[in-house]
Amino acid sequence: NWTMETFIEKEIARIREICGPKGRVIGAVSGGVDSSVAAKLMHEAIGDRFQAILVDNGVLRENEAAQVKKMLSEDLGVSLTVIDASDKFLDKLAGVEDPEQKRKIIGNTFIHVFEAEAERIEAEAEKELEEKGGEAKGKIEWLLQGTLYPDVIESISFKGPSATIKTHHNVGGLLADMKLKLIEPLRELFKDEVRALGRLLSIPAHLVNRHPFPGPGLAIRILGPITREQVKIAQQADTIYIDEIRKAGLYDQISQAFAVLLPVRAVGVMGDKRTYEQVIALRAVTTEDFMTADWFVFPTDVLRRISSRITNEVAGVNRVTYDISSKPPGTVEWL
Ligand code: XMP
């Protein structure tokens, strides 16, 4: 009989067995509940033979890397290495508009950054061994990913009209040339189960209840080409949006909320001048499992405040719209 307690025990035993007495694991942490729970589980299983890493891909939320580092150390007791690879990612993304292409670039670059980091950590350990002696550390053979069941079925085994809906970049199938082996302790779980697991592992509610944030980050929320300027606009709009949702006490009623930067310009007026600027679409959904979703009904005054703050505070935006599409036929993200 399956319970979350027995799941934890079995999974920890399985991880220890897979890794052996010396094996080391590096893990991608994003600040989302999935990777945080996976990291906590790994830390419980093999302690500091697990190294958590956050890759700043240049399309994170504003201040995200610093916030996640703080959260992981304070709430999980896991130390996090942040690698700033934003130039590398943004250079490769320059001029790319196709959503799947964006995902592939981010997924592949991400793996290369990880492999380079694994090599760097191993070289450092070897140097330390030469200089100071002591016992040799094991090799880094594994890459931890917080892949969930819906990610697996939507990108690999979804056989609907024999098409992939979206290749979620954190799913194994995409990473054909990777040297590190994938370890995915959550791949049989749904989101609500991961949250329950997080609570059992004593992860605080503010982390467990964080809205999901996709691996490809703002790259799939900036429609059209990605530039540093566009990233900044998307970040500023996102910060205001989430801030107002929290202030209104609505964060926990919404499953996921984010701003999308549209690749169109609209005419507007400011003072006595005509403007011709970009448009932000707001998305907020409620859902059990992210396979289907409804759009969230905001109190009008909250929408009014969000809209007026975005158009006043974010340079380059003169119009805000609200997305009233459910999934299906829409998906949660626009790309
Ligand atoms: P969709 O847009 O497929 O989103 O309805 C469902 C959930 O999945 C997230 N999502 C992703 N997560 N890599 C991720 O790690 C991706 O490529 C990706 N695409 C969508 C989305 O944010 C939502 O929570």
Side-chain angles (χ1 to χ4, degrees):
N1 64 2
W2 196 95
T3 67
M4 205 47 94
E5 283 87 354
T6 57
F7 174 85
I8 295 180
E9 259 171 52
K10 279 201 189 128
E11 201 50 41
I12 288 182
R14 194 182 75 94
I15 293 167
R16 287 184 179 147
E17 171 144 2
I18 289 177
C19 299
K22 278 193 160 187
R24 287 195 291 161
V25 179
I26 57 173
V29 165
S30 65
V33 57
D34 308 344
S35 61
S36 303
V37 169
K40 178 75 179 173
L41 201 58
M42 195 56 69
H43 188 69
E44 299 271 302
I46 62 169
D48 61 11
R49 285 192 284 138
F50 166 64
Q51 173 67 58
I53 290 166
L54 184 143
V55 175
D56 185 343
N57 55 14
V59 281
L60 298 179
R61 291 202 170 104
E62 224 167 30
N63 297 324
E64 183 77 349
Q67 271 178 28
V68 173
K69 191 174 167 80
K70 184 161 176 276
M71 218 161 50
L72 247 78
S73 96
E74 286 176 5
D75 299 335
L76 266 58
V78 174
S79 81
L80 178 74
T81 306
V82 176
I83 302 176
D84 181 1
S86 44
D87 287 342
K88 192 177 266 168
F89 280 88
L90 291 175
D91 285 351
K92 293 206 169 156
L93 285 169
V96 178
E97 294 193 38
D98 178 69
E100 288 301 282
Q101 201 56 34
K102 286 178 178 174
R103 280 193 169 76
K104 280 192 185 122
I105 290 171
I106 292 181
N108 291 340
T109 309
F110 178 82
I111 293 306
H112 292 136
V113 169
F114 253 85
E115 292 199 313
E117 182 62 12
E119 278 169 24
R120 196 194 63 76
I121 293 172
E122 290 195 329
E124 207 167 70
E126 250 167 56
K127 196 167 151 230
E128 206 181 290
L129 188 68
E130 266 171 35
E131 285 171 2
K132 298 187 188 147
E135 213 183 321
K137 286 187 175 165
K139 286 253 171 249
I140 299 175
E141 280 179 68
W142 299 91
L143 173 64
L144 171 74
Q145 295 248 281
T147 317
L148 305 193
Y149 190 62
D151 307 340
V152 177
I153 45 182
E154 283 208 349
S155 58
I156 292 176
S157 32
F158 179 76
K159 295 281 178 348
S162 80
T164 302
I165 300 179
K166 296 178 187 185
T167 44
H168 285 211
H169 98 289
N170 55 358
V171 173
L174 214 111
L175 316 171
D177 70 334
M178 188 174 69
K179 285 181 234 114
L180 292 164
K181 290 174 277 186
L182 274 191
I183 183 160
E184 299 177 308
L186 313 179
R187 69 179 287 131
E188 284 165 15
L189 304 183
F190 282 94
K191 200 85 180 183
D192 52 334
E193 295 175 314
V194 174
R195 294 212 160 100
L197 179 58
R199 285 188 286 270
L200 268 181
L201 291 167
S202 312
I203 299 179
H206 71 92
L207 211 173
V208 168
N209 297 332
R210 264 184 132 209
H211 293 177
F213 186 69
L218 300 178
I220 55 170
R221 294 174 178 177
I222 296 168
L223 277 57
I226 294 159
T227 60
R228 280 184 175 70
E229 294 71 38
Q230 293 292 76
V231 171
K232 190 149 184 244
I233 292 174
Q235 282 178 333
Q236 289 174 339
D238 173 79
T239 301
I240 293 169
Y241 187 31
I242 300 299
D243 183 43
E244 288 299 329
I245 286 174
R246 282 193 193 280
K247 277 193 199 148
L250 299 172
Y251 189 84
D252 290 337
Q253 289 175 43
I254 298 170
S255 306
Q256 192 173 13
F258 53 87
V260 179
L261 180 54
L262 304 187
V264 289
R265 272 166 205 278
V267 173
V269 54
M270 192 156 83
D272 54 3
K273 284 215 173 66
R274 175 188 187 273
T275 62
Y276 187 51
E277 291 179 326
Q278 298 192 88
V279 181
I280 286 284
L282 305 173
R283 182 82 162 133
V285 296
T286 55
T287 171
E288 288 298 320
D289 57 8
F290 292 91
M291 309 286 278
T292 61
D294 285 325
W295 55 275
F296 181 73
V297 181
F298 270 106
T300 323
D301 60 316
V302 179
L303 280 180
R304 198 186 306 282
R305 216 160 30 243
I306 294 165
S307 164
S308 97
R309 276 197 63 194
I310 291 176
T311 47
N312 281 320
E313 296 173 32
V314 183
V317 174
N318 68 359
R319 207 172 277 254
V320 174
T321 67
Y322 187 57
D323 180 357
I324 50 168
S325 325
S326 56
K327 173 182 181 176
T331 50
V332 175
E333 304 286 348
W334 278 44
L335 291 184

